[in-house]
Amino acid sequence: MDGGGTSRPLTVAATMLVCFSNLFSCVLGHIGEQPLSKIAIHKATPALHDSASISASPVILGLKGEDTEWVSVELEYPHPSSDDWVGVFSPAKFNGSSCPENKRDEAPFICSAPIKYKYANHSSPDYAKTGKASLKFQLINQRADISFALFAGGLSNPKLVAVSNSIIFANPKAPLYPRLAQGKAWDEMSLS
C-alpha cells in the first residue's frame, strides 16, 4: 500500500479542516457587520418631497399560492445622490404615529426598522444623474402588508422623502413551513 491506505483519509480530513477554518474566520470577521445594523433609523426624519415618488408592483403577491415573489419598485427623485436608499417595511404603516405613546413632533419619527434595503443606484447606475431608478426585491410572506420608502441622507442620517403604495400577499395568514416543538412531556413532539 505504500502508506496510500491512510493518506487519502488524512487528505480529506485536512481539506475539511482548512474549509471549516476558512468558514469560521469568515464568520468571525463579519460579526457586528449585519447590513441592517448600519442604518441609524432612530435618527430618521421626515422630509417628504412633493416631486419624489416611489411605487411597487404587483400590488397583490402570491396569487398562485407562492410564499415568495419578486416585486418591482420604480422611483423618481429630483435631488438624487449616490447614498439614497430604499427600505422595505412590514407592516406598511411605519411612521411615528404608530409608535406606542409617541407624539408626532418628537423622535423617533419612525419606530420600526426596515426588513431589507438597497441603494437606489443598485441596478440603475445613472440614478445620481437622472433621479430615476428601478429595483427588484424578493420578498417572503411577512403575514402583514409591505411598503417601500425612499430615503436621502445615507444610512447614518436618513431623511424620508417618499413612501410607496402598500402591497400584500393574497393569503397573508397561509401556513408557510412546518414547525416542530417539544410536547408536554420529554418524549413528545408537536408538529404544526
Side-chain angles (χ1 to χ4, degrees):
M1 264 199 220
D2 297 333
T6 58
S7 69
R8 178 146 172 82
L10 287 176
T11 304
V12 171
T15 302
M16 289 178 63
L17 182 62
V18 169
C19 289
F20 285 123
S21 171
N22 288 341
L23 177 65
F24 188 67
S25 66
C26 286
V27 170
L28 283 180
H30 294 291
I31 289 178
E33 293 184 24
Q34 204 282 347
L36 292 172
S37 70
K38 297 175 184 176
I39 301 172
I41 202 68
H42 63 285
K43 293 182 178 178
T45 56
L48 296 174
H49 196 284
D50 289 337
S51 299
S53 66
I54 183 168
S55 63
S57 63
V59 175
I60 300 176
L61 309 171
L63 289 172
K64 295 179 183 174
E66 307 94 337
D67 58 5
T68 64
E69 193 158 336
W70 285 93
V71 174
S72 296
V73 176
E74 303 292 326
L75 61 104
E76 206 169 322
Y77 184 44
H79 307 291
S81 169
S82 61
D83 63 354
D84 294 350
W85 56 280
V86 174
V88 182
F89 290 85
S90 183
K93 185 179 179 184
F94 60 89
N95 64 23
S97 67
S98 63
C99 297
E101 300 179 27
N102 186 38
K103 297 176 184 156
R104 289 181 161 221
D105 57 348
E106 293 179 12
F109 297 103
I110 297 176
C111 63
S112 66
I115 57 175
K116 59 173 53 179
Y117 77 95
K118 284 185 182 178
Y119 282 101
N121 62 7
H122 177 78
S123 54
S124 302
D126 291 337
Y127 169 76
K129 295 176 187 170
T130 65
K132 295 180 182 180
S134 297
L135 299 170
K136 287 199 170 286
F137 289 88
Q138 186 174 25
L139 300 178
I140 62 170
N141 187 345
Q142 296 292 317
R143 299 180 177 259
D145 55 354
I146 300 166
S147 66
F148 299 81
L150 173 61
F151 289 88
L155 301 177
S156 59
N157 191 26
K159 293 173 181 38
L160 177 64
V161 295
V163 179
S164 77
N165 54 297
S166 294
I167 62 173
I168 193 162
F169 275 83
N171 188 359
K173 304 297 182 195
L176 301 177
Y177 306 102
R179 287 172 175 63
L180 189 62
Q182 185 173 359
K184 292 181 181 179
W186 69 271
D187 61 349
E188 293 178 355
M189 295 297 287
S190 169
L191 177 66
S192 58

